[in-house]
Amino acid sequence: MSNGIRRLSIEPLTKQAFAEFGDVIESDNSDFFMINSGSTRRYHKLATTDVQDQDGEAIISIFQATPLSYPLTIKMLERHPLGSQAFVPLLGQPYLIVVAPKGDNPTLANSRAFLSNGRQGVNYHKGVWHHPVLALTDQDQFLIVDRGGEGHNCDEVYFDSDRVALHLEDLPTEDNKEEQRLAKVL
């Protein structure tokens, strides 16, 4: 802890660890069935969209993001009270996720950070607090499935104190393979 800012540990992204916040969208360890005369595996219903409040509709977008400067002090979180929001990486690059539980008064004391391996997307459940996209590589792209329509669907909260920081040297590694791969792309 330096300057009153707690260092947030970064965990590998797993379905079990992320369940409180939403769904992990990945084919690894997911059930499938064969379609197209046996030439295609369908990993069915890995997440569901929740966008019907106030006549919302599901929309698909692409975000192109660049990395922020690290160590990164988390100063704000946002939530979408009227719909879920899914992020699926398009270029296979690892990225970071910061979340906090649902509720009207979020704190960073309960926040968690995860590292996607670049083949995992996330679907934030309606009302889950999260940091905007945290790309680790330049011009990374994400397919976004979220809500369009009437109504206020983005709340932001800013923290004057109780901040946390992310340090890239805290990235989890699997026998340092991921660290070596990130070193090449960062």
Side-chain angles (χ1 to χ4, degrees), residues 72-144:
L72 175 67
T73 301
I74 303 298
K75 300 175 184 175
M76 68 82 68
L77 295 174
E78 66 181 27
R79 71 174 175 182
H80 305 288
L82 299 180
S84 58
Q85 186 178 46
F87 285 76
V88 179
L90 293 177
L91 304 179
Q93 301 299 329
Y95 65 98
L96 292 171
I97 301 144
V98 173
V99 289
K102 291 181 183 182
D104 290 333
N105 299 304
T107 67
L108 290 173
N110 296 329
S111 64
R112 292 175 68 185
F114 298 93
L115 173 67
S116 166
N117 63 19
R119 297 177 312 280
Q120 300 166 299
V122 295
N123 183 48
Y124 299 118
H125 287 169
K126 180 171 42 177
V128 166
W129 292 97
H130 60 278
H131 193 278
V133 65
L134 291 168
L136 291 173
T137 56
D138 196 37
Q139 305 302 310
D140 205 357
Q141 292 186 357
F142 299 84
L143 181 78
I144 310 303

Side-chain angles (χ1 to χ4, degrees), residues 3-174:
N3 300 331
I5 299 173
R6 181 177 55 90
R7 195 167 177 151
L8 189 57
S9 66
I10 302 171
E11 308 171 47
L13 182 61
T14 66
K15 291 177 181 181
Q16 296 77 18
F18 197 73
E20 175 184 1
F21 310 106
D23 310 298
V24 175
I25 302 169
E26 66 179 335
S27 58
D28 289 354
N29 301 312
S30 294
D31 293 333
F32 65 90
F33 55 90
M34 300 306 291
I35 61 171
N36 299 332
S37 300
S39 66
T40 305
R41 288 182 179 189
R42 180 175 177 145
Y43 296 90
H44 186 69
K45 201 173 181 179
L46 297 175
T48 59
T49 57
D50 181 357
V51 297
Q52 287 77 32
D53 287 0
Q54 296 184 21
D55 295 322
E57 62 181 350
I59 61 171
I60 299 172
S61 307
I62 292 178
F63 289 7
Q64 185 165 316
T66 56
L68 300 175
S69 297
Y70 290 88
L72 175 67
T73 301
I74 303 298
K75 300 175 184 175
M76 68 82 68
L77 295 174
E78 66 181 27
R79 71 174 175 182
H80 305 288
L82 299 180
S84 58
Q85 186 178 46
F87 285 76
V88 179
L90 293 177
L91 304 179
Q93 301 299 329
Y95 65 98
L96 292 171
I97 301 144
V98 173
V99 289
K102 291 181 183 182
D104 290 333
N105 299 304
T107 67
L108 290 173
N110 296 329
S111 64
R112 292 175 68 185
F114 298 93
L115 173 67
S116 166
N117 63 19
R119 297 177 312 280
Q120 300 166 299
V122 295
N123 183 48
Y124 299 118
H125 287 169
K126 180 171 42 177
V128 166
W129 292 97
H130 60 278
H131 193 278
V133 65
L134 291 168
L136 291 173
T137 56
D138 196 37
Q139 305 302 310
D140 205 357
Q141 292 186 357
F142 299 84
L143 181 78
I144 310 303
V145 179
D146 63 353
R147 181 189 182 280
E150 297 297 317
H152 176 77
N153 192 34
C154 187
D155 296 331
E156 294 178 342
V157 63
Y158 290 84
F159 301 96
D160 293 327
S161 59
D162 183 38
R163 292 184 181 163
V164 295
L166 295 174
H167 295 256
L168 293 183
E169 58 266 19
D170 294 341
L171 292 173
T173 60
E174 182 183 324

